[in-house]
Amino acid sequence: MQISPESIGYMAAVLTTSSFLPQAIMTIKTKDTESLSLGMYSAFTSGVLLWLIYGIYIEDKAIVCANSITLVLSASILSVKIFNTIFKNE
Amino acid sequence: MQISPESIGYMAAVLTTSSFLPQAIMTIKTKDTESLSLGMYSAFTSGVLLWLIYGIYIEDKAIVCANSITLVLSASILSVKIFNTIFKNE
């Protein structure tokens, strides 16, 4: 059996994105971001946005898919964190 | 000023990899992995390995660079976690 490079990309996408899912669900549900780092999530979210732009540039579907979903999750966590930082002085 | 797609890829690599660095340094220093999820780190490390293989396939230097470094960091964390799970019944 031959595995196409494209399917390796999609398997990679499913694994890295799904590994991020439990944190996102927990944060959105509980709104608790005290143990999360603002710096880390700012850097990560910016990085994922740039990977998405990069994927669009080089027209790579696996990169675009993976980073679109991860960006939504990461940006949601970051938004809750920023809200808590401003309004709850976290 | 025109920014090349390649430099966007490298900026993305620096951001996502460096956002992962504090966790890696902390885990390697303290060997404390109690609040880390074995499932999450197994999925993430496998995913990063597949991204690396994918990057080699499509001959994309930014993807290969980013995922080589992240793989070393993530595999180190996972190794400590597996060691603690087996020998300390975490």
Side-chain angles (χ1 to χ4, degrees):
Chain A
M1 198 185 88
Q2 263 284 16
I3 300 174
S4 71
E6 211 179 20
S7 61
I8 293 177
Y10 281 112
M11 279 193 284
V14 168
L15 283 168
T16 51
T17 302
S18 63
S19 72
F20 197 60
L21 210 56
Q23 180 66 69
I25 292 171
M26 199 174 122
T27 305
I28 293 163
K29 261 193 186 166
T30 64
K31 305 274 186 300
D32 177 14
T33 56
E34 214 169 335
S35 56
L36 301 182
S37 153
L38 180 62
M40 182 261 165
Y41 271 93
S42 306
F44 184 72
T45 307
S46 315
V48 172
L49 175 65
L50 288 182
W51 277 123
L52 176 59
I53 294 169
Y54 182 66
I56 293 168
Y57 258 121
I58 67 168
E59 295 178 7
D60 186 299
K61 276 184 210 161
I63 297 176
V64 171
C65 277
N67 288 288
S68 310
I69 300 168
T70 308
L71 183 61
V72 172
L73 299 176
S74 177
S76 306
I77 296 176
L78 184 61
S79 307
V80 179
K81 179 68 191 175
I82 290 173
F83 181 91
N84 287 345
T85 305
I86 296 174
F87 295 101
K88 295 182 181 168
N89 294 312
E90 228 177 66
Chain B
M1 199 183 88
Q2 263 284 14
I3 300 174
S4 71
E6 211 178 21
S7 61
I8 293 177
Y10 281 112
M11 279 193 284
V14 168
L15 283 167
T16 50
T17 302
S18 64
S19 73
F20 197 60
L21 210 56
Q23 180 66 69
I25 293 171
M26 200 175 121
T27 305
I28 293 162
K29 261 192 185 166
T30 64
K31 306 273 186 300
D32 176 14
T33 56
E34 214 170 334
S35 56
L36 301 182
S37 152
L38 179 62
M40 183 260 163
Y41 270 92
S42 306
F44 184 72
T45 307
S46 315
V48 172
L49 175 65
L50 289 182
W51 277 123
L52 176 58
I53 294 169
Y54 181 67
I56 294 167
Y57 258 121
I58 67 168
E59 295 179 8
D60 187 300
K61 278 185 208 159
I63 296 175
V64 172
C65 276
N67 289 287
S68 311
I69 300 169
T70 307
L71 183 61
V72 172
L73 299 175
S74 176
S76 306
I77 296 176
L78 184 61
S79 308
V80 179
K81 179 67 190 177
I82 290 173
F83 181 90
N84 287 344
T85 304
I86 296 174
F87 294 102
K88 295 182 181 167
N89 293 313
E90 225 176 69

